[in-house]
Amino acid sequence: MAENPHRSTQESKPPGDVSPWALAGLGMQFFAAILLFVYAGNWMDRRFDTAPLFLLGGVLVGGGGAFYSGYRRLTATQRVPRASSVDHDDSTPKP
């Protein structure tokens, strides 16, 4: 017997349908990025004796980069494919 082509599979999710685990991963990604950059900034501060300069830079770069990455991921899941080349110009009269 042939398979039903209309049967829903896990790979055929509608656009915009996001797993809750993917969203939970965004929080972990945010935490890990800030932690990594804070550690690197603290290490550079101890090495060059520039107390909070690189630490604050690490917080800003890590937080900003993680926020941008998460924002891009969330907006990518919300995009809906557009209709292909449909002309909606109704300014010309129809016969």
Side-chain angles (χ1 to χ4, degrees):
M1 257 191 176
E3 286 188 32
N4 186 359
H6 300 291
R7 188 175 64 178
S8 176
T9 63
Q10 195 169 18
E11 292 87 23
S12 63
K13 289 183 178 179
D17 190 22
V18 182
S19 165
W21 293 109
L23 296 178
L26 287 176
M28 290 302 296
Q29 176 185 347
F30 193 80
F31 174 73
I34 290 177
L35 191 65
L36 177 72
F37 277 93
V38 163
Y39 179 76
N42 194 24
W43 177 80
M44 289 176 69
D45 278 336
R46 280 185 280 132
R47 181 161 171 90
F48 299 120
D49 196 27
T50 57
L53 182 66
F54 288 110
L55 178 69
L56 293 174
V59 169
L60 293 175
V61 170
F67 179 80
Y68 179 73
S69 174
Y71 177 76
R72 292 278 310 234
R73 187 181 298 178
L74 285 174
T75 56
T77 59
Q78 298 301 318
R79 288 192 190 122
V80 178
R82 294 180 180 223
S84 60
S85 67
V86 176
D87 188 15
H88 295 289
D89 187 20
D90 291 331
S91 61
T92 58
K94 296 189 184 206

